[in-house]
Amino acid sequence: MPSNTAAWLEKVGAIPLDVKSAPYTSPTEHQIVIKSKAVAINPADWAIQVKGNILFPWLAYPYIGGSDVAGEVYEIGSSVTRFKVGDRVIGLALCLSGGSEGAFQEYTVLRDHMTSHIPQGMSYESASAIPLGLSTAASGLFQKGLLGLQLPSISPKPTGKSLLIWGGSTSVGCNAIQLAVGAGYEVITTCSPKNFAYVKTLGASQAFDYNSPTIIPDLISAFAVTKKPLAGALAIAAKAPAKTLDKDPAMACVAVVAASDGANKFVACATFPPAEDELPEGVSAKFCMAGSIKDDEVGPAMFVDFLPKALEEGSFVAAPEAEVFGKGLESIQGAFDVQMKGVSAKKIVVSL
Ligand SMILES: NC(=O)c1ccc[n+]([C@@H]2O[C@H](COP(=O)([O-])OP(=O)(O)OC[C@H]3O[C@@H](n4cnc5c(N)ncnc54)[C@H](OP(=O)(O)O)[C@@H]3O)[C@@H](O)[C@H]2O)c1
């Protein structure tokens, strides 16, 4: 059994993370253990450090966080057939489930059905940008009870429908655009003008500036011109400013679906959704949760059926682009600080 090291959060508010030994956990039947090569940083990582007791009151401390990991398969569970030792993979590390499943350690336990092979030419650093963004987007787009859209494939069949993705240059948004286009929807998105060209390379047909004072009427007209019924909206944003109709991402999406003829008047929200009494009659909004796709058909639809083939064929790319902050578990705290200050179409990554 190898020795293991982790970046521990001793308790809420403890800064920096404490890099020290951790138990090595062997996989159960449907799990694998990977030797981590790169981890990516997400807003939840530093948010848990600062206010984990409010966001996730059930978490036990000391705690090993981290959701995005890429690495090499080290050990496989007795029922695992898709992987062998030495394979290059990414997976959604289910850090909210307990210590051995957090990404910020040398050896991480992943679940078979939430893990995908990565192509030879793709670096661990680039690939580590995918799992949480993809899973959050997949929850909002495909889960029943959320948008419930058609699943993606590498030969998409056009649905004749359109979709609003608010926050296309976020990490979740870059994955959402690609998944929705792969599922046959025309995507119109919002981001800063400097990212218009980038989100179009991911498949968005049009991009609008979310800071424009006319953003809502502009989006309503753009969807009307497509003549493709709006299948709903996915609202994502790193920061939710004051809840005014034209600024809060979820409320802005609510306004667009409410005013669009023939729309599915539903907004999936990556951040907290508006309260029921803030919604116009006939419009619903619901929170999507990345980790929840491990419990239904959407998890395997992504990590088993779609992603490995789509990455291999190049119809899905690792996005946003990785920016490597440093090397080693000791660099994770500094990487939190960079992510917290704000990023634009970038994933902050640490090589291990
Ligand atoms: N529910 C879940 O399971 C789950 C999982 C992961 C993330 N999240 C949440 O989802 C949100 C996004 O996370 P992330 O990691 O994807 O974020 P991120 O990549 O750190 O977000 C950075 C991006 O936010 C964009 N942005 C900032 N304010 C915006 C606004 N008002 N409207 C549209 N875009 C805006 C910026 O776009 P420009 O640079 O183009 O201006 C920038 O590219 C966060 O609130 C996070 O906590 C939820």
Side-chain angles (χ1 to χ4, degrees), residues 5 10 23 29 43 57 107 117 128 146 160 165 175 188 196 222 232 236 244 248 273 308 343:
T5 308
E10 290 296 333
E29 210 182 338
Y107 293 93
H117 284 102
S128 70
L146 282 127
I165 296 179
N175 285 276
I188 298 181
F196 282 179
I236 316 154
T244 55
D248 178 73
V343 294

Side-chain angles (χ1 to χ4, degrees), residues 43 136 166 169-172 192 195 210 237 270-271 287-288 290 339 343-345:
T136 313
W166 187 289
S169 65
T170 62
S171 178
V172 176
S192 289
N195 290 320
Y210 58 80
T271 49
F287 184 56
C288 52
Q339 216 295 330
V343 294
S344 179

